[in-house]
């Protein structure tokens, strides 16, 4: 069972003020490639997994933004760490 939830809002600074949506789509692609459970929401994406694995994904997301030409990146991150288990479904089941 996963021990963490990590929500991230990634805000890349583009060279000439280009639309950031293609950059955000690429960042979500990094999550997809990692194979962790995730959900995309309007202002952030939440991942479920082991804490070290999730932080490694955040690092790869930032590296991807640089590879795409972003000059700098703000990554706003929220973490729930629970050694006995963390689940998006468990936290939200009463709302579904």
């Amino acid at each position: 069972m996963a021990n963490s939830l990590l929500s991230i809002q990634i805000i890349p600074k583009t060279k000439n003020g280009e639309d950031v949506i293609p950059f955000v789509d690429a960042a979500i692609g990094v999550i997809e490639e990692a194979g962790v459970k995730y959900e995309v929401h309007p202002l952030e994406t939440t991942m479920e997994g082991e804490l070290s694995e999730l932080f490694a994904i955040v690092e790869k997301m930032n590296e991807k933004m640089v590879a795409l030409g972003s000059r700098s990146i703000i990554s706003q991150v929220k973490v729930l760490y629970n050694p006995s288990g963390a689940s998006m479904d468990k936290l939200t089941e009463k709302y579904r």
Side-chain angles (χ1 to χ4, degrees), residues 32-93:
E32 178 74 29
E33 290 171 13
V36 296
K37 183 175 180 179
Y38 72 97
E39 290 183 6
V40 176
H41 301 278
L43 299 176
E44 64 188 11
T45 298
T46 301
M47 300 180 279
E48 184 176 299
E50 299 303 309
L51 187 59
S52 59
E53 175 184 29
L54 299 179
F55 278 127
I57 295 168
V58 170
E59 183 176 16
K60 288 178 185 173
M61 292 169 75
N62 280 272
E63 291 169 350
K64 182 69 167 185
M65 299 300 94
V66 171
L68 292 174
S70 181
R71 297 185 315 193
S72 64
I73 305 100
I74 297 172
S75 296
Q76 295 186 2
V77 176
K78 293 183 273 188
V79 175
L80 167 66
Y81 175 72
N82 185 342
S84 64
S87 164
M88 287 186 277
D89 293 336
K90 200 77 159 159
L91 283 178
T92 61
E93 68 187 355

